[in-house]
Amino acid sequence: MNRIKILFFATLRDRAGTRALELDIPEGMTVQGLKEHLAAERPELKVALESVLISINREYAFDEALIPPNAEVAMFPPVSGGKLSHPPTLACITEEEIEIDRLLAQITLPTTGAAAIFTGLVRGLSARPEPRQTAYLEYEAYLPMAEAKMRQVAEEIRARWPAVEGIAIVQRIGRLSPQTPTVLIACTAAHRDTGVFEAARYGIDRLKEIVPIWKKEVSPSGEFWVEGEYLPRPGE
């Protein structure tokens, strides 16, 4: 048997009625197996386990991950991607319309004097690799990993451009028609010469690399999923 320590946070702590417990599990148990075991043994946790985030030894872990001996397993609800911290960071997936002015207001400080904003739109007509028409795009994301990776992108931006004040990274999912905004990356700073343009460009490029979001393109001639080529490295 393998003894592990489980830590509960926020709503998981309330449902479990404790902050921590120690549990003996079979060797080779996966994260999915642990969730199933807890759902059976502690029915009060069952609903919360459907959307729980799990870390093993302080690193995010997913259903197929094996739980090592003496592991510290933390369970918590999705981190509040729509909440602001200081300095303000907003990272979220939404099905609602992207309202640029409202989002910009949330990452603007009294010292802010510049904002660089990138917004992607659904193209109705594409020229690359050959001319084609698009009826609509359908976006989906792997939640909550996508929001966790968005926050990672924000942290990378702050590490590279310390003068950046506020960061917003927002992706819309669902069925989106041509000329509809699909994504927003916004960075604010005191001045325009602080790297704020480069930070916003880095944000959208990095989102395309490591954030698990996909789109299906639907046209009069058919439909297909658009896949990238970048393969994340260990630690990304």
Side-chain angles (χ1 to χ4, degrees):
M1 297 295 285
N2 174 15
R3 172 152 287 226
I4 63 173
K5 183 177 182 179
I6 303 179
L7 305 177
F8 299 102
F9 295 90
T11 53
L12 272 294
R13 183 190 67 215
D14 292 343
R15 288 179 178 274
T18 182
R19 291 181 178 273
L21 63 82
E22 292 190 353
L23 184 67
D24 290 320
I25 62 173
E27 293 184 7
M29 178 174 275
T30 64
V31 167
Q32 178 62 33
L34 177 62
K35 290 194 291 188
E36 293 172 356
H37 175 80
L38 287 173
E41 295 295 320
R42 306 194 64 147
E44 67 273 19
L45 293 175
K46 186 174 182 180
V47 173
L49 288 170
E50 294 175 0
S51 59
V52 70
L53 277 176
I54 292 182
S55 70
I56 297 177
N57 297 330
R58 302 181 183 179
E59 294 289 340
Y60 282 114
F62 303 99
D63 288 350
E64 69 278 7
L66 294 175
I67 303 175
N70 304 311
E72 181 182 273
V73 179
M75 295 189 169
F76 41 89
V79 180
S80 51
K83 304 296 183 180
L84 294 177
S85 59
H86 184 77
T89 300
L90 177 65
C92 66
I93 304 290
T94 183
E95 294 184 6
E96 304 299 323
E97 180 181 351
I98 294 177
E99 299 179 24
I100 297 176
D101 289 346
R102 180 180 62 82
L103 293 169
L104 183 61
Q106 294 183 69
I107 59 168
T108 299
L109 300 177
T111 53
T112 298
I117 303 170
F118 171 83
T119 304
L121 305 173
V122 179
R123 285 187 302 273
L125 294 172
S126 298
R128 298 182 301 181
E130 67 276 332
R132 66 183 186 278
Q133 202 172 10
T134 299
Y136 64 88
L137 297 180
E138 185 175 326
Y139 280 84
E140 72 173 20
Y142 176 21
L143 288 169
M145 183 179 178
E147 288 183 343
K149 289 300 179 184
M150 285 177 164
R151 288 187 289 275
Q152 177 182 323
V153 172
E155 292 170 359
E156 292 177 4
I157 288 174
R158 294 197 185 282
R160 289 170 175 253
W161 294 278
V164 168
E165 294 180 340
I167 300 172
I169 304 176
V170 181
Q171 173 71 51
R172 189 174 178 186
I173 58 174
R175 177 171 171 167
L176 304 179
S177 301
Q179 300 181 344
T180 301
T182 62
V183 63
L184 175 134
I185 308 289
C187 295
T188 62
H191 304 282
R192 68 180 184 275
D193 58 356
T194 53
V196 68
F197 291 102
E198 294 82 358
R201 173 62 184 266
Y202 177 89
I204 185 60
D205 289 347
R206 195 69 169 129
L207 180 142
K208 296 290 187 180
E209 290 179 343
I210 67 170
V211 179
I213 299 168
W214 306 271
K215 66 180 178 181
K216 180 167 66 175
E217 184 172 316
V218 180
S219 69
S221 59
E223 59 183 52
F224 63 94
W225 287 100
V226 180
E227 298 181 359
E229 298 179 352
Y230 185 86
L231 298 178
R233 298 180 295 272
E236 288 191 306

